[in-house]
Amino acid sequence: FGDMSLQEYLEDSLVILSNCTPEQFAYSVDIDLWKLGEIDHDRFKEWVEVIKELPGHHFEYISDHLDVNLLSSCLKKYVEINLDPTQLILMEHLEKEHQYSMHDISIDNAEIEAFVQYIYFHAPELFSNIIRNISIGDSQEIINEAKGERDDRLSKEKMPSFEEAQTIYTKLSD
């Protein structure tokens, strides 16, 4: 789409995109959002408007081919996870369909919120994967902090770290 405004040519964009294969659609989004090695957030907002105009059944059809990491990166600046540390860790162990809901997040931007609701309704697995990706940083930070505290307790007792103890045990058991 180059420098063409997707919103300015919304009807033409929809005709072109609705006739793409899922792979072509995903490729178009991927290529168009990257500018000089960075995500173009203004362009992302244009894609949000275009995607929301696609019929839900068409979005369901293409959603498996969209790059969940790219969408997560684009949405991360708008989406706040409203779960405490215990809930975040618990979510890591639940099956995908039981993970996240719209109540677990808050979004200040109305356009982005409508887009996320659209994903939630038409592609719930994609929604869960996006929210999980966004929350990974938070849950990984919690896990790392817990590991550090565990290692501190072990070192106070003059014992090896958990990882070192696992290595020793593996060598002894072989």
Side-chain angles (χ1 to χ4, degrees), residues 116-170:
V116 172
Q117 287 175 342
Y118 179 83
I119 294 171
Y120 180 72
F121 182 75
H122 295 290
E125 188 171 333
L126 177 62
F127 171 83
S128 282
N129 288 333
I130 289 169
I131 301 307
R132 183 175 183 276
N133 279 0
I134 291 171
S135 71
I136 280 178
D138 296 335
S139 59
Q140 193 60 47
E141 184 179 314
I142 294 163
I143 291 167
N144 288 341
E145 189 176 305
K147 284 181 181 177
E149 290 172 6
R150 177 190 61 206
D151 287 344
D152 289 345
R153 287 191 309 274
L154 289 171
S155 69
K156 283 180 186 174
E157 297 294 325
K158 298 186 182 181
M159 298 179 79
S161 71
F162 182 74
E163 287 77 14
E164 187 179 349
Q166 281 183 313
T167 303
I168 294 168
Y169 176 76
T170 302

Side-chain angles (χ1 to χ4, degrees), residues 49-90:
E49 290 305 311
V50 169
I51 291 171
K52 285 188 324 189
E53 293 297 322
L54 291 173
H57 68 277
H58 188 70
F59 183 73
E60 291 170 17
Y61 176 65
I62 63 169
S63 66
D64 287 342
H65 298 277
L66 294 173
D67 183 348
V68 69
N69 294 319
L70 176 61
L71 286 175
S72 301
S73 296
C74 291
L75 289 167
K76 187 166 182 73
K77 79 183 244 179
Y78 304 103
V79 176
E80 183 180 328
I81 308 295
N82 299 327
L83 296 171
D84 68 39
T86 306
Q87 291 171 316
L88 273 177
I89 300 299
L90 178 63

